[in-house]
Every structure is written in structure tokens, then in C-alpha cells.
């Protein structure tokens, strides 16, 4: 697993410490183990998880600005856990409404010694989000419109929304309310992943 991860990181031009690699592999092992009982992800093969969960999450790291982030609808911790491992100086709140997912996240936090994550069980619209966040991140979440309307209370004044998408969502971008503007759309390269990946960054005007 470490060898495979190292190959993928090299292909993506990402350099991590041995400890970070161990933590990422440890997370995949926990995900694989708990998946049998908790059904956390449809991806069953740990090698495939390295591509579709780990690399797919951490390729966005260079585009994130700030220190405090919230991953809304984090599920089993994606992209929040991999990002927290590669950005130990930043803090990640991992928000999900399902208790079993949050229990899994607490186990990951404990097993991997991640002091920079905080799993929270809540619906996003009920979460007070104080102090506000530098970045609101979502992966495979609702439409951009739903994201900004449900999460509008979470970013700081200069904060940003980061939406991880597949194909470039031009229809969703066009449908955004006028008080929000897209500041960047980045085509992401994920080694060994089929299909397109884009990061859409949004700010309130």
C-alpha cells in the first residue's frame, strides 16, 4: 500500500513525509475494515481507495487558502481526513448528520492521532459555525446553489466555498444567486482516475 501510494504521489507531484504516508494508508485500512459493517463507501478495494479517495481529495490542497476549514457532508471523512493529514497546520471540522459516520471519524481521529480534526454530528443548516471558517469544502455534495444557500452562514467575510466536482458544472455556475461569484474553476489531474475532476471556488460578493 505504501509503495502504491508513493507511486501515485510521485505521479501527482506531491511530496509527503513517511509519517503522512503511514497515516493515509492507516486511514484506508480503517475505512476498509469499518466498511464491512458500516457501509461507508461503495469502493471496496483498498488500492482503489488510494486513487478514488486519497488522491482525489489531496489534489485540492494547493488551492485551499486559510487555516480553518469545514468539510460539509463529510461522510467517512472525505476530503477532510486526507486533507488534515497533508495539512497538519490547518484545522478541519468534519460535519455529518449520520451518527455512525461520526463514530467512525472519532475512531480515525484517535487511531491516527489527528489533533487537527473535529468530527461533529449535525445538519449543516443547524450548525452555528462560530467562529466562521476560511473555507467551506464539499465533495459530491448537492448542487452549487444548494451548497451556498445551506452553508452561507459558515464562511468568514473573506472565506471561500470549495466544491469538488466531476465534470465542469457550467449549468450550476450559471444558476448561482447574484450575491455569489465563481473566482476559479480548476481542472484537477488525479493519477489513474478515469473521468474529469474540477474544483470550483466561490466567494460572496
Amino acid at each position: 500500500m505504501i509503495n502504491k501510494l508513493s507511486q501515485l504521489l510521485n505521479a501527482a507531484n506531491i511530496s509527503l513525509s513517511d509519517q503522512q504516508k503511514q497515516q493515509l494508508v492507516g486511514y484506508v485500512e480503517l475505512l476498509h475494515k469499518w466498511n464491512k459493517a458500516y457501509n461507508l463507501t461503495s469502493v471496496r478495494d483498498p488500492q482503489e481507495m488510494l486513487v478514488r479517495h486519497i488522491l482525489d481529495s489531496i489534489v485540492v490542497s494547493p488551492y485551499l487558502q486559510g487555516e480553518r476549514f469545514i468539510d460539509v457532508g463529510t461522510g467517512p471523512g472525505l476530503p477532510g481526513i486526507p486533507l488534515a493529514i497533508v495539512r497538519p497546520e490547518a484545522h478541519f471540522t468534519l460535519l455529518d448528520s449520520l451518527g455512525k459516520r461520526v463514530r467512525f471519524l472519532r475512531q480515525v481521529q484517535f487511531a491516527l492521532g489527528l489533533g487537527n480534526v473535529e468530527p461533529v454530528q449535525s445538519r449543516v443548516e443547524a450548525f452555528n459555525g462560530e467562529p466562521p471558517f476560511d473555507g467551506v469544502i464539499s465533495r459530491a455534495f448537492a448542487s452549487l446553489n444548494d451548497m451556498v444557500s445551506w452553508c452561507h452562514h459558515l464562511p468568514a467575510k473573506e472565506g471561500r466555498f470549495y466544491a469538488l466536482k466531476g465534470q465542469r458544472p457550467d449549468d450550476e455556475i450559471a444558476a448561482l444567486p447574484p450575491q455569489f461569484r465563481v473566482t476559479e474553476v480548476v481542472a484537477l489531474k488525479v493519477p489513474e482516475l478515469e473521468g474529469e475532476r474540477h474544483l470550483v471556488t466561490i466567494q460572496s460578493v
Side-chain angles (χ1 to χ4, degrees):
M1 289 270 281
I2 287 278
N3 290 345
K4 175 68 175 173
L5 176 60
S6 296
Q7 285 171 9
L8 291 166
L9 291 169
N10 287 341
N13 259 342
I14 298 170
S15 99
L16 297 178
S17 70
D18 288 345
Q19 185 197 2
Q20 287 170 311
K21 291 178 189 176
Q22 290 286 1
Q23 286 177 314
L24 289 170
V25 167
Y27 171 58
V28 167
E29 286 167 349
L30 286 165
L31 194 52
H32 182 58
K33 180 177 148 192
W34 281 59
N35 206 25
K36 297 180 179 76
Y38 273 45
N39 201 21
L40 298 164
T41 167
S42 58
V43 182
R44 298 288 181 224
D45 174 22
Q47 299 272 346
E48 204 180 330
M49 287 180 188
L50 288 174
V51 175
R52 290 177 57 184
H53 290 337
I54 302 300
L55 264 289
D56 197 34
S57 295
I58 64 178
V59 290
V60 303
S61 178
Y63 304 100
L64 302 181
Q65 297 182 35
E67 298 289 305
R68 293 187 73 254
F69 300 95
I70 181 166
D71 178 8
V72 292
T74 187
L78 297 164
I81 294 279
L83 286 170
I85 290 170
V86 303
R87 297 191 67 156
E89 77 293 344
H91 186 274
F92 291 83
T93 298
L94 308 173
L95 194 73
D96 203 273
S97 58
L98 261 187
K100 69 176 184 179
R101 292 182 187 146
V102 175
R103 281 195 295 280
F104 169 70
L105 293 171
R106 292 201 178 110
Q107 179 61 35
V108 170
Q109 180 184 22
F110 173 74
L112 302 181
L114 296 176
N116 63 333
V117 301
E118 183 188 359
V120 176
Q121 183 180 351
S122 172
R123 293 180 62 82
V124 64
E125 53 271 43
F127 182 68
N128 74 5
E130 286 297 325
F133 295 90
D134 298 322
V136 178
I137 305 170
S138 80
R139 176 181 186 256
F141 191 60
S143 69
L144 296 178
N145 202 350
D146 286 345
M147 185 186 180
V148 296
S149 60
W150 294 345
C151 306
H152 64 90
H153 59 300
L154 298 176
K157 193 163 183 286
E158 299 294 316
R160 292 167 171 79
F161 296 92
Y162 298 98
L164 283 70
K165 292 284 187 178
Q167 292 180 321
R168 185 185 164 104
D170 288 317
D171 293 355
E172 291 181 27
I173 290 170
L176 276 171
Q179 65 268 38
F180 295 96
R181 69 187 176 93
V182 170
T183 55
E184 193 174 29
V185 182
V186 182
L188 301 164
K189 291 276 179 285
V190 184
E192 296 186 26
L193 188 73
E194 286 182 20
E196 296 178 30
R197 284 291 183 276
H198 288 86
L199 174 66
V200 182
T201 305
I202 301 168
Q203 274 188 292
S204 60
V205 176

